[in-house]
Amino acid sequence: AMWRVTMAAFCSLVGTYGTFKVHEMVSGPTQQSYQAIENFVQKKTFAAFVLLKHLKALIQYPTELLFVIFQIKTPSNCLAATGIYRVNTKNLQTDVVIIGAGPTGLFAIFQCGMLGMKTHVIDALEATGGQCTALYPEKPIYDIPGFPTVAAAELIEHLEQQAAPFDPVHHLDQQVSGLEESNDNGWTVTTSKGTAIDCKAVIIAAGAGAFGPNRPPLEGLENFEGSSVFYLVKRREAFRDKTVVIAGGGDSAVDWAMSLPEVAKKVYVVHRRDKFRAAPESVARMRALAEMGKIEMIVPYQLHGLEGSGGKLDAVIVKDLKGNERSLEADILLPFYGLATDLGPMADWGIEL
């Protein structure tokens, strides 16, 4: 509908001024067309606003497009309007579709590129990097070959740099909705935004699928979420001089228990038992910090309640198995109880994931 309205406006101007010129025709995938039109805009900077306004909407369209760039000039030869019109559509074409833009998906771009294969990458998140970007960009990671320690965001940056020479095409903020065999022994992958891509192979690097945090069953929890209760750490510096309660016994809880004492005023670690599920070496380092007095272990306890008002947390109430309660003065609660995952339509593909 937008394109019909645009063309109607052009035709109206043509009727008024009597001049209509097809300036240039550009064909090819959306990214190539964007570059070609962008080059044209650089020559005609006064048209940039109109063109880029439409391109922002256009670039999310899934299909290979044929564009015609229109110029309409007044009798005085001044530009009155410039626009683009979508006149032909068909599926995108590539060698490999990679589902998932986390670390594994990004490295798959590089591996495919080394074999001379072009790739399109689909991810439900708005940015590449998967959980590393969405949940813990500043979290230190200790088990990457060649890096004694590396921040999650830094790892993603390196992987993107490694993949960049092979010009991957990203389809972000959309979930894969379908996978069908095509007539030429290939596959057609479709997404929730209507993107359709024909390919010869599909690499599923989606991990456990889309994800969200497991929330503790605490009364009034929603009143503190986003202000005093967080399920991920995006900026470690945001917790400087704060009293932080970390709840959980997995890798995220233990890793942040090792990292946050460097900036926080005090760090508590609450877990229902003395045994942790995290990597043994990480647990040993955390216990060493506790022995040095840099963190305080609250075990065996579980979260029981929250105290505070107006979204500001004052204390976290914990209870042990015998019913004994403790009140921990706190500014921040970080409940790390894992993620609820959903494979979505991929669960119906008959593939063991």
Side-chain angles (χ1 to χ4, degrees), residues 138-143 148-150 233 236 244-264 266-270 276-297 334 336:
E138 292 189 354
K139 176 184 173 183
I141 301 176
Y142 302 102
D143 55 359
T149 179
V150 60
V233 177
R236 191 177 67 154
V244 180
V245 174
I246 298 174
D251 288 307
S252 291
V254 172
D255 287 347
W256 283 118
M258 291 189 293
S259 177
L260 287 180
E262 297 175 8
V263 296
K266 184 173 181 61
V267 175
Y268 295 101
V269 178
V270 178
F276 290 78
R277 301 185 310 277
E281 177 61 25
S282 297
V283 175
R285 293 182 187 180
M286 179 185 66
R287 294 191 189 279
L289 289 175
E291 291 175 3
M292 290 186 285
K294 293 187 176 182
I295 63 175
E296 184 174 346
M297 307 289 289
L334 301 175
F336 293 129

Side-chain angles (χ1 to χ4, degrees), residues 29 64 90-95 118 120 184 196-199:
E64 184 172 339
K90 63 179 180 179
N91 290 0
L92 292 171
Q93 309 286 326
T94 192
D95 296 316
K118 297 293 184 182
H120 281 229
D184 58 351
I197 311 168
D198 294 333
C199 61

Side-chain angles (χ1 to χ4, degrees), residues 71-301:
Q71 276 189 311
I72 302 175
K73 295 189 175 183
T74 66
S76 61
N77 208 38
C78 294
L79 185 72
T82 300
I84 51 181
Y85 183 54
R86 181 168 66 122
V87 296
N88 185 42
T89 66
K90 63 179 180 179
N91 290 0
L92 292 171
Q93 309 286 326
T94 192
D95 296 316
V96 180
V97 167
I98 300 171
I99 302 173
T104 303
L106 293 176
F107 190 62
I109 298 170
F110 169 77
Q111 293 284 24
C112 289
M114 292 295 289
L115 296 173
M117 294 185 288
K118 297 293 184 182
T119 57
H120 281 229
V121 187
I122 303 169
D123 199 285
L125 298 177
E126 295 180 352
T128 60
Q131 294 184 23
C132 288
T133 299
L135 299 183
Y136 43 81
E138 292 189 354
K139 176 184 173 183
I141 301 176
Y142 302 102
D143 55 359
I144 302 299
F147 292 91
T149 179
V150 60
E154 184 182 356
L155 173 64
I156 298 304
E157 182 180 348
H158 285 305
L159 288 166
E160 288 178 333
Q161 291 174 358
Q162 190 178 37
F166 302 108
D167 298 320
V169 178
H170 293 91
H171 305 276
L172 302 177
D173 195 24
Q174 50 194 299
Q175 190 176 21
V176 172
S177 57
L179 175 67
E180 296 181 356
E181 264 190 284
S182 57
N183 296 328
D184 58 351
N185 295 320
W187 302 90
T188 298
V189 180
T190 55
T191 77
S192 55
K193 286 191 175 180
T195 306
I197 311 168
D198 294 333
C199 61
K200 297 299 183 183
V202 177
I203 295 176
I204 300 176
F211 53 85
N214 288 319
R215 292 171 165 82
L218 300 177
E219 184 177 352
L221 176 68
E222 65 279 1
N223 298 327
F224 298 95
E225 290 179 323
S227 56
S228 297
V229 175
F230 302 93
Y231 301 100
L232 58 99
V233 177
K234 286 191 173 182
R235 289 183 58 253
R236 191 177 67 154
E237 189 63 28
F239 303 122
R240 181 168 292 280
D241 299 326
K242 304 288 187 181
T243 299
V244 180
V245 174
I246 298 174
D251 288 307
S252 291
V254 172
D255 287 347
W256 283 118
M258 291 189 293
S259 177
L260 287 180
E262 297 175 8
V263 296
K265 176 182 176 181
K266 184 173 181 61
V267 175
Y268 295 101
V269 178
V270 178
H271 190 41
R272 60 188 174 85
R273 56 179 182 168
D274 192 47
K275 185 177 181 180
F276 290 78
R277 301 185 310 277
E281 177 61 25
S282 297
V283 175
R285 293 182 187 180
M286 179 185 66
R287 294 191 189 279
L289 289 175
E291 291 175 3
M292 290 186 285
K294 293 187 176 182
I295 63 175
E296 184 174 346
M297 307 289 289
I298 309 297
V299 292
Y301 279 85

